[in-house]
Structures are given as C-alpha cells and as structure tokens.
Amino acid sequence: MTNADLSSAAPRRLTFAIVCEEPFRLFFPLAVVAGLVGTLVWPLHFIGWVTWYPGVNHARILTQGFFGAFMIGFLGTALPRMLSSPRLTGPEVGLLFALHAALIVAHALARTTVGDAFFLALLGVLMLSLGSRVLRRNDVPPPGFVLVGLAFLCGAGGTVLALMQERLEDRFFWLYLRPLLQFHGFILLPILGVGGFILPRFFGLPNRHDFPESRTPPPGWMRQALWALVVGGAILVTFVIEAQGMPRLGSGLRFLVSAGYLYWQVPFLRSRVRKSSLAFALRIAFLLLPAGFLAVALFPTYRVALLH
C-alpha cells in the first residue's frame, strides 16, 4: 500500500465543516447527555439534592432533549442528501445546538416554561432550515416523511398548549390532549415514518419508499404519501378520543393503526430476517412499540408504566 493509499484510508479529521454536513456527530452525543440528565433527576430527587418533583421535567428532557436530538441529528444529516439539496450551514447548526442545550439546562433547573419556549423556537428553526431544503430540492423525500411533518405539528401544538396551561386549567380535554401531542405524537409519528423507510434494508425486504430520483413526485409516490397522511390523521383522532375520556378505546385504536402500518411497510414477521444482533433488536423493538398501546388498552391502571 502506497503513502497515497494510506492517506486516503485514514479517517477524516473532525472539523466544524464536517459537523455541519453531518450534524448527527454533534447531536447524537448531546442526546446521550440529555438521556443521562433526564434519568439522573430521579435519584438526585430521592437523595434530596433535587427538591422539586422531577416528573414533569423528566418527561420533557427525554422527549424534547433525548429524542429531539436524535431527530435533529438524523434529519439534519440525511434529509439534505435525500433531497440532493445544500447541507445545513454553520449558523443553522450552531443555533440549533444552542437552543437544544438551553432547553435541557432549563428543564434540568425546573424552568419548565423557559424550556418549552426554547423547544418551540428550536422546532421553528428546524422547520425553516429543512423547509428551505425542500424548496431547493432536486429529489423528493420519502413519502412516509409526511408523518415527520405531522410530528413537528404535534410537538409545536402540544408545547403551545403547555405554555397556555394556566388558561386551560378548567378544560380537561385540552389538558389531557397536550401530553398526547407533546410526547406521544412527537415520538410515535417519526418512528413510523422513518421506520418505514429505513427498516426494510435491515430485513432484506422491498422498500415501498424507494423511488427514482425526481424533483416532482414520481408515479406511486402520492399514493404512499396519502396513506401515510391517513395513518397520521387516524393517530391524531385516537388522541382526541382518549382526551374525550375514552383511554381504552383510544389506545386500542392506536395499536391497530400503528401495528397495521408497520406490518404493511415492513412485514418482518413473514420475512427471512437477517441474522444480526441489530436486526433482532429492531424486530423486538418494533413489536413492543404497538404492543404497549394494546397493553394500556387492556390494563389502563398501569398506563404510565406500560407506556415507558
């Protein structure tokens, strides 16, 4: 092997330009930090170092901080490439990182309103950054990413309701709907949308979201996007049903919708799963995800534990 070969084979030096091209390198480690912080508030509370009840902020750190960082890192890296559009810029990545770190710190200090405001600003910046790439695209995104857009709306809508909570104290419906949008919708919808695109390659299955490169939707794309929109709308309806005081019915319907969509997109139960630990773990995870909703419908008394 020549010196030139060794030079080309050597790992690239991590620079800020590379981080902007691949922001997962910045946000995935930040997600780990958020997960640790969100978990540690409980033992710190029980030993008396954290005097406030951490339940409210624990949920936000793990949803907005932990899951949010993975979402930013993945979409910020993958979506511009899928669209054949420009990568994120330094100011965009820097602003996203600052807002995300600020919301983690705010929630860790029990400044819930401040943390929610930072999260709402974070979603706004992220949607503007990715939206500008959609407008400048040379290819269409996977049709299942319609669910990712609905997740942004759920996260923003739930956060707005949280910021207006004092005005909603006497309205059970809105108080119940808020966490369903803010936590469940913000997490479940992207998993369904992105999972339908990524998972088939782990199970050796045909990918329903794989279309030839085209700036306009190719044949079949609109049908897949419409189905994703219908599924997302049905999940939002289950939130409304549950907020109306019918948690068993809402969770049961959510199980049927999410399990049906996953099995339609990735029928791994009747496929020859590749023999790898990652494929096995993914199979178990995506079996347990809808199973949690079924368990809640059957045993609503243990709802919080089963959803965890």
Side-chain angles (χ1 to χ4, degrees), residues 14 30 36 48 60 71 89 133 143 145 159 230 243 272 285 292 302:
L14 188 61
L30 186 58
L36 292 173
R60 283 167 163 79
M71 181 184 289
T89 64
R133 270 69 189 177
F145 276 42
T159 304
V230 169
R272 293 184 177 180
Y302 306 102

Side-chain angles (χ1 to χ4, degrees), residues 60 112-114 116 158-172 174-175 178:
R60 283 167 163 79
T112 308
T113 301
V114 176
D116 281 345
T159 304
V160 169
L161 290 176
L163 294 173
M164 298 173 57
Q165 189 160 343
E166 292 184 359
R167 301 181 183 181
L168 303 174
E169 286 182 354
D170 297 328
R171 299 184 181 181
F172 174 84
W174 296 109
L175 291 177
R178 189 268 306 169

Side-chain angles (χ1 to χ4, degrees), residues 56-57 59-61 63-65 67-68 71 99 103 106-107 111-124 127 150-168 174-187 236 239:
V56 172
N57 298 93
R60 283 167 163 79
I61 294 173
T63 304
Q64 302 172 0
F67 185 79
M71 181 184 289
L99 290 171
L103 76 86
H107 287 311
R111 301 295 186 264
T112 308
T113 301
V114 176
D116 281 345
F118 279 131
F119 178 66
L120 199 60
L122 176 71
L123 283 181
M127 287 190 287
L150 288 178
F152 285 158
L153 296 179
C154 284
T159 304
V160 169
L161 290 176
L163 294 173
M164 298 173 57
Q165 189 160 343
E166 292 184 359
R167 301 181 183 181
L168 303 174
W174 296 109
L175 291 177
Y176 202 112
L177 182 65
R178 189 268 306 169
L180 292 173
L181 295 174
Q182 196 173 17
F183 304 141
H184 297 206
F186 183 65
I187 293 178
L236 294 181
F239 293 158

Side-chain angles (χ1 to χ4, degrees), residues 70-118:
F70 279 117
M71 181 184 289
I72 296 170
F74 173 78
L75 292 177
T77 302
L79 193 58
R81 297 184 179 188
M82 294 176 185
L83 300 173
S84 299
S85 60
R87 308 290 192 262
L88 297 186
T89 64
E92 288 174 319
V93 172
L95 182 56
L96 289 169
F97 180 83
L99 290 171
H100 192 276
L103 76 86
I104 295 173
V105 173
H107 287 311
L109 297 176
R111 301 295 186 264
T112 308
T113 301
V114 176
D116 281 345
F118 279 131

